[in-house]
Amino acid sequence: MDFTKPRGTRDFLIEDMKERKYVENTIRKTVESYGFNEIKTPIFEDLELFTTKSGDAIKEEIYHFQDKGGRDLALRPELTASVSRLYDNNLQKSAKPLKMYYFGSCFRYERPQAGRFRQFWQFGVEVIGGTPVYNEAEIIAMANETLKRLKIQNYEVAIGHLGIIKGVLNHLDIPSDKQTQIIASIDKQDYDLLDEILTTCNVNDEYKNIITSIINVNGSHDDLNSIRDLLLDIPESMEALEQLNEILTVVEAFGFDDYTVKLSIARGLDYYTGVVFEIYVPELGAQKQITGGGTYKLTSLFDSEDVESTGFAFGFDRIMEAFHKQKLEVEEDNYNKVLVVPIKKEFKMEAIKVAQLLRNADIITDIDLKGKKLKKNLSFANSNNINNVVLIGAQEVEDGTVTLKHMDSKEQVTIPRDELVDNILNE
């Protein structure tokens, strides 16, 4: 019987994993350089965790089931809710800010298409507590630096602040359910629907024009001034505008100013409260957004303290798509790698001993235990970025030596076995 992988999933071969590990490790090194530490949550959680966050309608989009004890569980469709649950269970009394990152697979039951799979990966970061303005600026600067280190080209960073538009809606006493519909229509760029909802809420033309002016801001830091006079009588919106202005100033202090101020970013989720941002790679077409995030209050879903969080998640698979689309290459590491070759099969035991000597010194080492011809072993070493080949024959076994061939220089020397590690490490 033939078995194939489930629909919407993928197999990753050796070369695929080299690329994915390179990208993953580059992101890890970047976020760790900013003081973030890794956490890990379960692949499945209580179903109620996700319905509480996103409503019962999400059941149609996720994998959920009952276990043998009759408990309703779900494979996680994203990781933000799990991180908030982890905080509620374990970290409420920890010193703030908490700077955490996570990497793992998520699952959604949706129609597979280009750039969308039923099993996919997210790499996310969260800052809980601390000073929001500096958290937000650091998060945005860090996302930008990550893409620079990966050498992703032609990406666009758009930054907004939901507090500006929400301030207007609160000023007009628009009910929360209608605000949700308004934000969703802005997120979908359905401006006919937006006008219809505003009309239903008895919003007059003056305030319609203010809302339109806000969501039309799509330019530089200085373009915030174009709406300042419109918001003078709306204190909540003015406060959000000044906060965004401060955030952008701090972002620029991190050395990043190549962004767009885009106040139509809405993210479409109720829990976002402040700054929001998205990053696009236009070459990816309909799936161009590779990350998005902002500031939110999700811990209030639980009985924990009401504390703001700032975070984002890279769509890891979309980053990989950009990596391939732009024909980027994995940077070869500078690790010492060795292939140990016994010239004849009777020297295999000696080859194993030499290999273990090298491995104990943290030198990546492979052994030819099949008995291939020397030419094929050298070809294998070249194609696998192996720096050195150690040859063991009758004379080497008798003398307690090894013959070391440096693949770059093609030089070959015979040295005492106990000098092999130092010779390779000092190369």
Side-chain angles (χ1 to χ4, degrees), residues 93-113:
K93 295 182 180 180
S94 299
K96 309 294 189 302
L98 285 167
K99 301 173 73 172
M100 305 177 291
Y101 77 88
Y102 50 82
F103 178 65
S105 55
C106 302
F107 305 84
R108 282 188 180 267
Y109 191 81
E110 57 186 1
R111 184 173 66 85
Q113 52 186 298

Side-chain angles (χ1 to χ4, degrees), residues 31-152:
V31 301
E32 287 178 359
S33 75
Y34 278 72
F36 285 76
N37 295 291
E38 188 173 14
I39 57 171
K40 190 76 78 174
T41 63
I43 286 180
F44 58 89
E45 299 265 12
D46 287 335
L47 173 62
E48 191 176 4
L49 175 65
F50 304 113
T51 57
T52 299
K53 174 180 176 251
S54 305
D56 282 339
I58 198 173
K59 289 181 183 178
E60 298 300 315
E61 303 172 14
I62 65 177
Y63 287 88
H64 62 92
F65 55 94
Q66 282 194 339
D67 68 6
K68 293 179 181 180
R71 291 170 283 264
D72 290 314
L73 303 172
L75 296 179
R76 61 190 183 199
E78 47 86 28
L79 281 150
T80 306
S82 293
V83 172
S84 294
R85 193 266 313 146
L86 176 146
Y87 170 80
D88 177 65
N89 291 169
N90 305 285
L91 299 173
Q92 289 189 58
K93 295 182 180 180
S94 299
K96 309 294 189 302
L98 285 167
K99 301 173 73 172
M100 305 177 291
Y101 77 88
Y102 50 82
F103 178 65
S105 55
C106 302
F107 305 84
R108 282 188 180 267
Y109 191 81
E110 57 186 1
R111 184 173 66 85
Q113 52 186 298
R116 298 183 75 90
F117 302 94
R118 289 180 172 175
Q119 182 184 14
F120 56 97
W121 278 258
Q122 284 187 348
F123 196 113
V125 298
E126 307 278 344
V127 183
I128 298 178
T131 307
V133 166
Y134 292 97
N135 292 348
E136 292 156 345
E138 183 178 59
I139 285 282
I140 293 168
M142 186 174 68
N144 172 67
E145 183 170 338
T146 300
L147 296 177
K148 283 176 61 180
R149 291 193 187 188
L150 287 170
K151 296 183 171 56
I152 302 293

Side-chain angles (χ1 to χ4, degrees), residues 80 83-84 102 125-127 136 271-275 293-299 307-312:
T80 306
V83 172
S84 294
Y102 50 82
V125 298
E126 307 278 344
V127 183
E136 292 156 345
Y271 57 78
Y272 281 101
T273 58
V275 75
T295 293
Y296 47 84
K297 289 184 179 179
L298 195 55
T299 53
V307 59
E308 278 194 326
S309 303
T310 302
F312 71 89

Side-chain angles (χ1 to χ4, degrees), residues 321-339:
E321 185 69 19
F323 195 83
H324 294 143
K325 199 92 172 178
Q326 297 182 1
K327 296 181 170 56
L328 302 177
E329 295 183 355
V330 173
E331 292 185 2
E332 293 290 352
D333 59 55
N334 294 317
Y335 297 129
N336 289 300
K337 297 179 182 178
V338 179
L339 175 64

